[in-house]
Amino acid sequence: MKQLQWELGDTLGVYKDYMKKQKLPLVIDELGENSRLLWIGERRTNRVILYFHGGAFLLPAQFFVLPFWRYVQRELEEEGKETGFAILQYSLVPTATFPTQLKQAVLAVQRLFSMGVKPQNIQLTGDSAGGNLVLQLFSHILHPVPDVPRLTLTAPFSGAYPMSPWVSLTGKTGSMITNDDSDVIGFETLTYWGRIVLDGIPGKYRPYIEPYYASEDWFAKLSTVVQRVLITAGDAECLRDEIVVFADRLGKQHPKVQFVVQKHGVHNDPYFDFLWPEKIKGELTPLILDFFLSGFK
């Protein structure tokens, strides 16, 4: 794993390469704890999307995710809603284990607050493990983890969008089997990565790192934390069944949870439309845009 991490580099390197190609200046905030906020474009604080990247907590942000989020940012600008877009560079497993990434997510939000950004002007998003980290943050606000700084909100966040969230790291049935040949990440890889991430984590923290296994009322007060939630999954992805169950439970705890399964979609499907020079907007992309637009005044 460490050799793969060495070959892929880190999120900061991916960010620098992208910004150079886009001829945009580097805008970086050091947060401490070996974490950073990496801004795409100006450091705008009137509206902010805070993004937690995926990669199973083992891999850096991938090059193809940034064009998607730059597209979202530009579309918001076209609608007169200029928005700062900040990427959290967090530490990777196995060098840093739970709750390190949660601490760094708290630091990121606290930095935004210190800049004068109000919770109601922040929307959180993350794909796969990044979606997991969004949910970890919510769990921590509702059920504080010892030794992790508490995060007190003056109002709920405007919105949260976990894309194909990794809600169970140990799933071995249903779509994990049936979609093994149709998804971009297979059953064996997911379960192998899950074992690495979970290694050494006490069972009492399972609801944080695997929200699929949280109690029915774990998120009962989620409406005090976030106003709206959008969750999406792909019909052809291995994680589909766990996401379906989790989204259904969450919808019973929060009145404004929207869940969409994309027909024939794979894990993190919206990104793959942006791998080619000619951007192809899949069926989820307009939905995602509408979600962020409606969350900003």
Side-chain angles (χ1 to χ4, degrees), residues 218-231:
W218 184 261
F219 290 104
K221 296 183 179 180
L222 186 60
S223 59
T224 66
V225 176
V226 63
Q227 296 176 26
R228 308 161 307 121
V229 180
L230 170 66
I231 300 174

Side-chain angles (χ1 to χ4, degrees), residues 41-185:
E42 296 181 36
R43 187 189 286 106
R44 297 183 183 275
T45 57
N46 53 335
R47 305 177 193 89
V48 176
I49 295 175
L50 176 59
Y51 167 65
F52 303 152
H53 70 81
F57 298 111
L58 296 162
L59 306 175
Q62 299 301 296
F63 71 93
F64 52 81
V65 308
L66 300 188
F68 176 84
W69 291 113
R70 180 61 170 160
Y71 169 80
V72 170
Q73 185 183 42
R74 284 174 167 166
E75 289 297 303
L76 289 171
E77 290 174 359
E78 287 291 321
E79 296 294 329
K81 296 186 178 181
E82 292 80 5
T83 302
F85 187 88
I87 304 162
L88 172 63
Q89 181 191 13
Y90 58 79
S91 300
L92 301 178
V93 174
T95 303
T97 58
F98 177 89
T100 301
Q101 297 79 18
L102 175 57
K103 289 180 181 178
Q104 294 167 330
V106 170
L107 288 175
V109 175
Q110 288 177 333
R111 176 59 61 88
L112 295 180
F113 288 170
S114 73
M115 293 177 177
V117 188
K118 297 180 180 179
Q120 58 267 38
N121 293 329
I122 297 174
Q123 301 199 64
L124 303 168
T125 189
D127 52 87
S128 194
N132 178 297
L133 189 53
V134 170
L135 297 169
Q136 279 189 46
L137 186 67
F138 293 164
S139 291
H140 172 61
I141 294 170
L142 295 170
H143 313 279
V145 177
D147 301 323
V148 176
R150 290 203 176 204
L151 190 59
T152 302
L153 304 181
T154 57
F157 293 112
S158 172
Y161 169 44
M163 178 194 297
S164 293
W166 201 19
V167 294
S168 169
L169 284 60
T170 52
K172 296 180 179 179
T173 60
S175 59
M176 288 289 284
I177 305 300
T178 59
N179 287 344
D180 185 45
D181 292 331
S182 61
D183 202 3
V184 292
I185 304 176

Side-chain angles (χ1 to χ4, degrees), residues 208-224:
Y208 299 91
I209 196 73
E210 289 192 286
Y212 177 83
Y213 295 101
S215 62
E216 292 285 342
D217 61 350
W218 184 261
F219 290 104
K221 296 183 179 180
L222 186 60
S223 59
T224 66

Side-chain angles (χ1 to χ4, degrees), residues 271-286:
Y271 292 149
F272 295 100
D273 296 336
F274 286 73
L275 277 172
W276 320 111
E278 183 178 349
K279 307 298 183 290
I280 304 170
K281 290 182 287 185
E283 63 181 80
L284 285 184
T285 300

